[in-house]
Amino acid sequence: MRPLTENDIRGSFVNCSKGEAKRLPLPRDLAERPWDDLDFLGWRDGGAPDRSYLVTERDGRLLGVSLRFPPPQRGFLQRSMCALCLTAHPRGGVSLMTGRKAGAAGREGNSVGLYMCTDLACSLYLRGKKVPESGVRFEESLTLEEQIARTRGNLFAFLDRLYS
């Protein structure tokens, strides 16, 4: 992914108003992000623990979405798998992220959800740059490029559902 500026990010959101996009908190470490290793930029809102944001590039266009997720539920041995990168996490490592649909459907309260890594670090888990709390990822027969293509395909399918 190419490095993004504040203006790039704020102008990319499709499921919130321009005013909401202007007010949302951005990551403070944009200059230090490993852009070459990212398929999307994802971050959590430090001031609102149930909110997160995701920005990706598709067909030369930036697409940003505002997401919400519930607090982790109590459970001793609960494990979940991210639907984007297929990384398994212990309790709280995967959350159902929901995004308001774009346009009239979103204004009517319709939303779409997908189970994702709570920290939105899917790209880094795929590339081995970050290790899940469990310490390992499942070994796959797919090449890294095929895993990246699958993850991007899963992300784009989710984003497509926000527009339908």
Side-chain angles (χ1 to χ4, degrees), residues 81-110:
M81 182 176 284
C82 173
L84 287 182
C85 66
L86 304 186
T87 299
H89 293 275
R91 184 179 61 87
V94 172
S95 296
L96 176 62
M97 303 281 187
T98 58
R100 186 173 60 204
K101 291 188 85 161
R107 288 189 294 276
E108 293 174 5
N110 296 324

Side-chain angles (χ1 to χ4, degrees), residues 1-2 13 25 32 58 79 99 124 132 135 137 163:
M1 183 167 194
R2 66 178 172 92
F13 283 88
E32 291 84 39
R58 184 176 188 185
R79 295 183 64 80
L124 301 179
R137 283 193 75 235
Y163 292 106

